[in-house]
Amino acid sequence: MLDVDFWKNKNVLVTGHTGFKGSWLCLWLHALGAKVTGYALSPPSRPNVFQLCEIGDLVTSVIDDIRNKQRLQAIVSEKSPEIIIHLAAQPLVQESYHDPAETYEINAMGTVYLFEAIRHSAREGKGAKAVVNVTSDKCYKDQEWIWGYRENDPLGGFDPYSNSKACSELITASYRNSFFHHDDFAVHGVALASARAGNVIGGGDFAALRLVPDCMRSLLKHEPITIRNPAAVRPWQHVLEPLGGYLMLAQKLYECGTQFAEEWNFGPNDNDARTVEWVVGKICEKWGSDAIYEIDQNQHPHETHYLTLDCSKAKTKLGWHPVWNLEQAIDKVIEWTRAYRENHNIRHVCLKQMEDYMNCFDQ
């Protein structure tokens, strides 16, 4: 279970805090009593959860590029965070085909610049005790297995996005071995882990070329939903699932040091690895009679057909487990979207869903 008392007054840095996952995470950390600094570019979409929830009023928000290594190092040194959760990224497969160089710059070199800032602070005796680098389930070598990838399976990634996340994993392992090794923990004091999450869904994801946001946009406009890869299978989960895993992992790193400084998968149970068409069909069913979808027959860049995760390690060693099944996650997305359509207080909606989630986790 999530130890809510642990986070009170903890000094936390979240990179990518203006993005979809980062915004939900900052809101959750603030609700838990943490003192949060965020570092990211301006929100990547309009509208966005960051502004709808007025998260800038809850955290110290630094708007800058993860590739600005001087500013990044200055913030890490100035704030001296105890815990860092690295979410800043170019997060879209399709976008990586349009601009692969920028994708690698952000996802690979951005990770290097953050780790360099941490290394510099550690030499000053102000290093973070716990660092979680969030990568992706797509970091694994694309082998189209019908079973879930485990943390020790080969890395790779077909497209530039997926491959850049594999690079970020390799960078994490290199820095852990070279500069934050467990044998020298008494000197550097940094416990560094990586987290690989499945496909997240949730209210407030307005990204382009992503399945559930595309569905919600079409439904709000009373337009048919168009899907590109109906037979593709993904490990779908609500955004609060991996975020809860990141929080539990960060606490273990903080309290136990390098004992948990490894790679971790966070994904749904096996029966929630569903096809794109199943997910869209279920969304239409739950939305109502005016919701319909159609299949785009055009050619599109390659995307992995079958992808699932084996999360036995997180379940066994961290005590983490999925709380909401996929249908419940879809219900929460629709609940959020209808509240947004009806101009409800979105911060209250998000906090209520967090409360519901934590109540279910404890059952």
Side-chain angles (χ1 to χ4, degrees):
M1 63 181 292
L2 185 64
D3 183 354
V4 296
D5 294 328
F6 167 82
W7 292 96
K8 188 173 178 61
N9 294 321
K10 286 293 187 299
N11 184 7
V12 184
L13 172 66
V14 177
T15 70
H17 71 295
T18 60
F20 167 58
K21 288 172 75 174
S23 295
W24 275 90
L25 179 60
C26 285
L27 186 60
W28 199 350
L29 284 167
H30 181 268
L32 293 172
K35 299 175 181 178
V36 182
T37 299
Y39 185 102
L41 295 173
S42 297
S45 66
R46 297 289 187 276
N48 56 79
V49 178
F50 184 80
Q51 292 175 331
L52 290 171
C53 291
E54 299 179 319
I55 291 170
D57 296 337
L58 307 179
V59 306
T60 300
S61 181
V62 179
I63 302 301
D64 211 324
D65 197 312
I66 195 71
R67 293 170 289 179
N68 185 346
K69 57 184 177 181
Q70 289 82 11
R71 183 80 187 283
L72 181 61
Q73 182 169 301
I75 293 299
V76 171
S77 180
E78 174 191 340
K79 299 298 181 181
S80 298
E82 302 167 86
I83 297 169
I84 298 175
I85 302 178
H86 178 41
L87 290 164
Q90 191 296 96
L92 302 174
V93 171
Q94 295 294 319
E95 179 61 27
S96 77
Y97 280 110
H98 296 304
D99 199 338
E102 183 175 70
T103 299
Y104 281 104
E105 287 172 5
I106 295 170
N107 294 352
M109 290 310 300
T111 302
V112 171
Y113 295 150
L114 176 63
F115 290 172
E116 280 295 283
I118 296 167
R119 186 165 73 97
H120 178 80
S121 293
R123 290 202 302 263
E124 296 178 339
K126 304 188 293 185
K129 295 183 66 175
V131 181
V132 178
N133 178 26
V134 177
T135 62
S136 171
D137 58 347
K138 297 176 181 63
C139 69
Y140 293 103
K141 183 179 179 182
D142 188 359
Q143 306 199 59
E144 298 287 354
W145 285 332
I146 60 172
W147 54 85
Y149 290 95
R150 294 182 177 179
E151 288 86 348
N152 59 354
D153 283 327
L155 300 174
F158 183 98
D159 57 88
Y161 166 77
S162 303
N163 190 265
S164 73
K165 286 299 189 176
C167 291
S168 184
E169 284 284 349
L170 292 170
I171 290 164
T172 304
S174 175
Y175 268 76
R176 185 167 51 229
N177 291 331
S178 302
F179 307 113
F180 307 130
H181 198 276
H182 64 87
D183 289 344
D184 302 317
F185 183 69
V187 177
H188 59 73
V190 179
L192 171 61
S194 61
R196 306 160 180 178
N199 281 44
V200 297
I201 64 174
D205 187 357
F206 293 97
L209 300 173
R210 196 141 61 191
L211 179 67
V212 174
D214 287 346
C215 289
M216 295 302 112
R217 270 189 293 272
S218 296
L219 293 172
L220 290 172
K221 294 178 181 178
H222 305 285
E223 297 175 351
I225 297 167
T226 302
I227 55 178
R228 297 187 305 272
N229 298 298
V233 175
R234 295 289 184 270
W236 310 96
Q237 59 186 333
H238 192 273
V239 64
L240 293 178
E241 303 281 14
L243 295 185
Y246 306 160
L247 294 176
M248 294 179 71
L249 174 57
Q251 179 177 347
K252 290 291 188 181
L253 293 168
Y254 186 95
E255 294 177 337
C256 304
T258 56
Q259 180 181 342
F260 290 85
E262 301 173 342
E263 305 80 13
W264 301 85
N265 284 343
F266 296 101
N269 290 321
D270 290 345
N271 58 355
D272 283 328
R274 297 281 190 167
T275 67
V276 165
E277 188 166 14
W278 187 96
V279 171
V280 175
K282 188 60 65 174
I283 288 173
C284 289
E285 173 190 318
K286 291 176 177 291
W287 186 267
S289 58
D290 62 334
I292 59 173
Y293 70 90
E294 57 190 21
I295 297 173
D296 184 351
Q297 301 295 338
N298 294 320
Q299 292 294 317
H300 297 282
H302 174 273
E303 292 190 51
T304 300
H305 175 70
Y306 195 95
L307 175 59
T308 61
L309 294 174
D310 183 332
C311 303
S312 303
K313 180 179 173 181
K315 292 175 182 178
T316 302
K317 294 187 175 182
L318 292 179
W320 173 89
H321 60 83
V323 172
W324 289 333
N325 62 35
L326 180 52
E327 286 207 39
Q328 290 172 303
I330 292 172
D331 286 338
K332 291 298 182 182
V333 176
I334 292 175
E335 175 187 86
W336 192 102
T337 304
R338 286 179 169 151
Y340 167 74
R341 181 185 61 185
E342 296 161 11
N343 295 314
H344 291 186
N345 185 307
I346 292 301
R347 186 192 291 180
H348 291 172
V349 173
C350 291
L351 290 171
K352 179 60 168 61
Q353 291 195 350
M354 289 176 188
E355 181 182 355
D356 293 344
Y357 177 84
M358 288 191 286
N359 287 339
C360 291
F361 199 105
D362 294 338
Q363 292 176 2

